[in-house]
Every structure is written in structure tokens, then in C-alpha cells.
Amino acid sequence: MNWRFAYAIGFHPWEDTDLPFARKISELFDREEKGHEPPYGLALDLGTGSGIWGIELAKRGWQVTGIDIVDKALQRAWDRVQKAGVDMRLLRGDVTALRAAGIGSGFRLVLDTGTFHDLNSAQREAMGREVSAVAARDATVLLLVWPKRRRPLIRGASRSEVEAAFPGWRVTDVEPSHFRLPKILDLLLKPDEHWYRLRRE
Ligand SMILES: C[S@@+](CC[C@H](N)C(=O)[O-])C[C@H]1O[C@@H](n2cnc3c(N)ncnc32)[C@H](O)[C@@H]1O
């Protein structure tokens, strides 16, 4: 996917999520917050795009940093953050070079709604290494992944590819996200998207 071009022409169907998707992501956040009181700690929104889910985490009481490589996406995120009146840090940088971007460390929750599964294998490995370096010991990683299959635009990833990119982490759950694209795109791209939850071994 050419993300820069997509934002330039206003193509971002991943932002048009519906209630079942929102309910599921909220359930996943609930799970990470259970037994704690806000503030919940540092959260990292990888490939934050327009900041939608990072802002949601900030509203819930996480101290959020969002990172993206596309300026237009970050501009949209900045506008959204202002509108929401939340405190969320936004950085321009690559998920494969988080430390070089000055992201910091100690993140208890690392969220990726759609970046990992379109990276190539060297980039995935780099992202896994960087996440391992900046995440807290008791961190949870939540990855949204389309299965690997021939389709236009998004590569997708298999479970073994997720595991290979995150050595030292264990997949604890794989659950449907209930994400649906607009009808034509859904038929064409067949997302069949799942949440992967990872914890350190
Ligand atoms: C499917 S979009 C998801 C955006 C946002 N998380 C959401 O759910 O609305 C994937 C995002 O990853 C960003 N991205 C892709 N490759 C990246 C990289 N190597 N480093 C940082 N961001 C990247 C894109 O610019 C895009 O905003």
C-alpha cells in the first residue's frame, strides 16, 4: 500500500469502522485495564494514521504516543487530537526505527491497527526488535492482521510470520476484529481481520 498516496487522495477506508469493530477493540482495551486504575501508563500507537485509536486510549486514561511516517496522516491526527481535547504525543517516524525516532520506552500497551501486516519481512523483523526494545517488561502488544493471501494492496501475515517477528513474545489470543470494508472493497480485499495479542514469554 502506498500510504502517502492514499492519504493524499483521501482514501482511508480503515477509518470507517462500525459498531462491532468498536465494541471489540473496546473489549480488548478493557482487558488490559482490568485490575488497574487510570492513569494506566504509557501506550504506543504504531502507524497512528489520523490518531483515532490513540485518542480513544488517551480518553480512557492512557498516556499515548502515536507515530506515523506520513505527514498528511499526522496533520489529520493533530487536528483530531485538538478537537478531542486530549493529551497525545505525535511523532513522525518509522515503526522499524522507533528508538531513532526518540520514542522513549516503558510502554505497557503497544497497539497496531494495520501497519505490521503490510510490511515486508525485514521491516517486520525490525519492528518486532524495536517494539521489544521500547516495551515494558509486562507489556501487551495488540496487532490487527489480515491473513496472508493473494490480494491487491495489503500483504497480510500468517501466525508464524507474526511469531517470527516477535521472538521472546507469545501469542496469547487470536480473535476476529469484526472489521468490514464497504461492500465492494470487502469482496475484493476479503480482510478477514484478526487481533493478535502478544505477551512476553
Ligand atoms: C491501515 S493504516 C491505519 C491507521 C490507523 N492506525 C487507523 O487505524 O486508523 C496504516 C498506517 O500505518 C502507517 N505506516 C505504514 N508504514 C509505516 C511505517 N513503516 N512506519 C510508521 N507508520 C507507517 C501508514 O501511514 C498508515 O497511517
Side-chain angles (χ1 to χ4, degrees):
M1 173 74 98
N2 184 332
W3 301 106
R4 203 160 277 116
F5 181 66
Y7 283 106
I9 62 167
F11 177 78
H12 26 67
W14 52 86
E15 295 185 2
D16 303 324
T17 52
D18 55 11
L19 199 56
F21 180 89
R23 279 208 189 105
K24 183 64 195 176
I25 197 170
S26 176
E27 186 189 308
L28 296 180
F29 294 162
D30 288 345
R31 190 189 300 173
E32 304 313 322
E33 292 162 2
K34 201 170 171 200
H36 300 270
E37 292 295 321
Y40 295 115
L42 302 183
L44 177 56
D45 185 16
L46 297 170
T48 190
S50 307
I52 296 171
W53 301 109
I55 290 170
E56 183 59 27
L57 284 172
K59 283 184 182 163
R60 295 174 70 112
W62 292 85
Q63 199 179 329
V64 187
T65 297
I67 185 166
D68 206 285
I69 36 165
V70 177
D71 288 329
K72 177 106 188 258
L74 288 167
Q75 186 55 56
R76 287 167 64 81
W78 178 246
D79 292 344
R80 226 180 246 268
V81 165
Q82 299 290 99
K83 217 182 235 168
V86 294
D87 197 14
M88 174 172 163
R89 179 177 169 234
L90 289 167
L91 272 186
R92 188 183 193 288
D94 198 308
V95 297
T96 64
L98 295 172
R99 287 171 289 183
I103 204 107
S105 59
F107 295 96
R108 278 199 53 234
L109 179 59
V110 179
L111 178 70
D112 168 15
T113 52
T115 302
F116 172 85
H117 68 169
D118 195 43
L119 299 177
N120 65 36
S121 57
Q123 291 171 318
R124 287 175 182 176
E125 196 185 302
M127 176 175 151
R129 186 184 61 236
E130 293 292 304
V131 166
S132 297
V134 304
R137 175 73 215 138
D138 65 341
T140 295
V141 175
L142 295 174
L143 287 183
L144 258 189
V145 179
W146 291 14
K148 190 174 176 149
R149 74 163 85 100
R150 270 181 191 275
R151 66 158 81 75
L153 298 180
I154 298 291
R155 274 193 180 95
S158 63
R159 179 179 178 135
S160 57
E161 286 172 325
V162 172
E163 287 167 342
F166 287 87
W169 296 76
R170 185 173 59 87
V171 173
T172 65
D173 303 272
V174 182
E175 296 166 7
S177 78
H178 307 304
F179 175 67
R180 297 294 295 266
L181 282 162
K183 202 160 184 178
I184 300 287
L185 277 178
D186 208 70
L187 284 171
L188 182 70
L189 300 177
K190 299 188 174 60
D192 189 20
E193 181 180 83
H194 282 73
W195 281 110
Y196 279 68
R197 179 177 184 271
L198 295 95
R199 300 273 299 171
R200 290 195 202 262
E201 283 173 332

